[in-house]
Amino acid sequence: MSPTDVAARAAAGAGTAQRSVVTTGAWHRIPFAAPGVFRVRPLPREATASYMQRLADTYQLTLPQLLDGAGITLHRHGTPPSAELILTAGAARRLAVLARTPLPRLTCALPHLPLSDAAHDTEAAAYWKRLDAGQQPVRACRLCTRHRSHNATDTAWIHPPPHQLVCPRHHQGAPDPRLTSTVRTWAVPELVAAHHAHQRLLRRPRAATAWTTARAITTRWYDHQQHLTHRWRTRLTRLCTASPHLTTTGNASPALLARDLVTYPETVALARILATLPNRPHHTTDHALSLIAHRLGLPRLASNANDPLRVFLTHTRH
């Protein structure tokens, strides 16, 4: 039975048990570095281990079985999101063939896949590497994942850029690696509005710097309960009501797990303001603070010499 025949039978809607027999039989007929039966699309910025696990799920195999069938030697042990699977260039080429996806396209989607495509590097090996907390991926949107996984799984781990904190289509987000399930955001519609505003912010020349500064400021406000405390508490309560698992995730507080989601609308709003302020202020700091307070829907911002926004406007912006 050829891979083409297998694909035709799988597409005919056979039951789970029949599909298991078909795909397993097909797998044993696939030689090393031969195209696979199924094409599984990677998610943007997906962890390599996550993508390979989804590929294995599609074939109803374990990850070690998939690697062994592709002729890739697996070293050490690990699991997402605390660890990543690092492939040699030879293993990356085998993965691209198996996935029926050109290596440059796969490399573009998987940030930890090796960039080198040197033909002389024939070693095909995969190594588990433990990741620090700040490097760990987060859960991708469950519905987007299921769509790209032939309904085989709804679990994937990605390294999203700041402007993709939420999925506006399916109203899901996962801002912290400790969350084993996504947070439902439908109860906080302003998150989708903030997402679209963030896309527009990216057109500004100083968008990246403004975002980094704004996030540092709103995080400080949040941690020290400044300015927007009541609004943020209300938003956190709504998120916890829609996603009760926020309150039962290990020893982590829901206030920390959901912090980036809770502060997201104000962070985007502040970043948009900072991106348009002149480098050399033509107005006083108090005037700028009044403008920002108005944009954030506040009567005023407390006049505190140690406030991070005042410090930025007074001493950093020049």
Side-chain angles (χ1 to χ4, degrees):
M1 182 183 296
S2 68
T4 303
D5 296 331
V6 173
R9 289 185 62 183
T16 303
Q18 182 181 359
R19 182 184 177 198
S20 176
V21 174
V22 170
T23 54
T24 303
W27 180 256
H28 288 304
R29 289 172 173 79
I30 298 175
F32 289 171
V37 176
F38 301 104
R39 177 180 284 113
V40 178
R41 291 186 298 161
L43 293 163
R45 300 188 62 80
E46 185 170 5
T48 305
S50 170
Y51 176 68
M52 297 193 73
Q53 182 62 63
R54 289 199 300 115
L55 194 60
D57 290 336
T58 301
Y59 286 100
Q60 299 186 11
L61 298 169
T62 66
L63 182 57
Q65 286 173 338
L66 179 85
L67 293 170
D68 183 63
I72 299 174
T73 303
L74 178 61
H75 299 276
R76 308 190 191 110
H77 301 280
T79 182
S82 60
E84 173 64 302
L85 205 54
I86 307 300
L87 304 186
T88 62
R93 286 197 299 273
R94 291 188 178 229
L95 172 61
V97 173
L98 176 63
R100 299 173 62 195
T101 303
L103 183 57
R105 185 180 302 173
L106 207 57
T107 302
C108 183
L110 308 180
H112 289 164
L113 209 60
L115 299 176
S116 173
D117 189 25
H120 66 272
D121 188 354
T122 58
E123 180 191 13
Y127 302 83
W128 282 106
K129 178 184 178 182
R130 188 161 187 83
L131 300 175
D132 295 333
Q135 300 174 318
Q136 293 178 11
V138 299
R139 276 292 300 267
C141 170
R142 295 171 57 250
L143 296 178
C144 289
T145 301
R146 183 169 288 281
H147 176 69
R148 294 204 180 196
S149 303
H150 302 286
N151 290 321
T153 181
D154 62 4
T155 300
W157 299 90
I158 59 173
H159 299 272
H163 62 276
Q164 292 180 4
L165 186 63
V166 298
C167 174
R169 180 179 181 182
H170 299 123
H171 301 282
Q172 295 186 23
D176 193 287
R178 290 169 290 186
L179 288 167
T180 57
S181 183
T182 52
V183 177
R184 297 181 181 89
T185 61
W186 56 265
V188 188
E190 59 265 35
L191 292 178
V192 173
H195 170 84
H196 294 310
H198 204 162
Q199 313 312 303
R200 296 191 294 272
L201 170 64
L202 298 178
R203 303 170 191 166
R204 300 283 183 179
R206 293 183 289 164
T209 301
W211 168 259
T212 301
T213 302
R215 184 173 182 271
I217 291 171
T218 56
T219 298
R220 176 76 178 274
W221 285 352
Y222 183 87
D223 291 344
H224 293 269
Q225 300 186 0
Q226 292 176 261
H227 305 312
L228 296 148
T229 302
H230 177 72
R231 184 188 305 178
W232 285 340
R233 284 178 179 170
T234 301
R235 194 173 292 158
L236 177 61
T237 299
R238 291 177 181 173
L239 289 173
C240 289
T241 300
S243 299
H245 66 276
L246 269 173
T247 62
T248 59
T249 303
N251 297 323
S253 162
L256 292 178
L257 291 173
R259 178 173 57 191
D260 285 347
L261 283 176
V262 170
T263 62
Y264 187 52
E266 288 73 30
T267 303
V268 173
L270 179 58
R272 293 183 70 187
I273 299 169
L274 297 181
T276 58
L277 286 176
N279 284 330
R280 295 185 178 277
H282 297 292
H283 303 284
T284 65
T285 297
D286 289 336
H287 183 277
L289 288 172
S290 297
L291 171 65
I292 293 171
H294 176 72
R295 296 282 183 86
L296 294 179
L298 296 171
R300 63 183 179 86
L301 289 168
S303 181
N304 183 344
N306 296 321
D307 183 89
L309 179 57
R310 176 176 285 276
V311 170
F312 171 78
L313 293 173
T314 306
H315 303 291
T316 307
R317 186 168 59 103
H318 55 270

